[in-house]
Amino acid sequence: MSDEKQRPRIPHSIIVENRSNISLTGITKMGSFDEQSVVAFTDYGEIHIRGSRLHISKLSLDTNEVDIDGELEAVIYVQNRNSGGFFSRLFK
């Protein structure tokens, strides 16, 4: 078993203020981001944030924190995808 699977999961939290600021903790990795969407990863899965004029105002992977400003429209959890990609599922 790899060391990553043996370490305890980092807890996470989400605080939304007036649909214009979102603070995330427990972020282990950042994915793609632009003015319409931000993808962040936690030990419990992906978090997709959608909106307009999104701006990352704070990013610290040392403390696992991210703050995002803008007009928030959606916060979506996506399960971890450990089963492989599309083709690996197609050709099982």
Side-chain angles (χ1 to χ4, degrees):
M1 220 182 245
S2 72
D3 290 335
E4 186 172 312
K5 293 190 184 249
Q6 292 178 352
R7 73 170 172 77
R9 288 190 195 188
I10 298 171
H12 74 278
S13 66
I14 298 174
I15 299 172
V16 177
E17 297 176 26
N18 302 321
R19 291 184 68 177
S20 62
N21 181 282
I22 186 168
S23 298
L24 305 149
T25 65
I27 302 303
T28 56
K29 184 173 125 180
M30 288 298 295
S32 62
F33 55 91
D34 58 29
E35 288 190 342
Q36 287 82 37
S37 68
V38 176
V39 177
F41 296 88
T42 72
D43 285 345
Y44 294 87
E46 298 175 28
I47 299 173
H48 293 224
I49 298 158
R50 296 204 179 123
S52 58
R53 294 192 301 255
L54 298 179
H55 173 262
I56 296 176
S57 59
K58 175 184 176 182
L59 172 61
S60 175
L61 295 180
D62 293 332
T63 60
N64 303 94
E65 297 175 315
V66 177
D67 289 349
I68 301 167
D69 299 320
E71 296 178 23
L72 301 174
E73 296 172 4
V75 178
I76 303 162
Y77 277 98
V78 179
Q79 289 294 338
N80 282 332
R81 297 183 185 130
N82 294 330
S83 61
F86 171 75
F87 289 109
S88 68
R89 288 190 307 267
L90 182 66
F91 294 112
K92 273 189 173 179

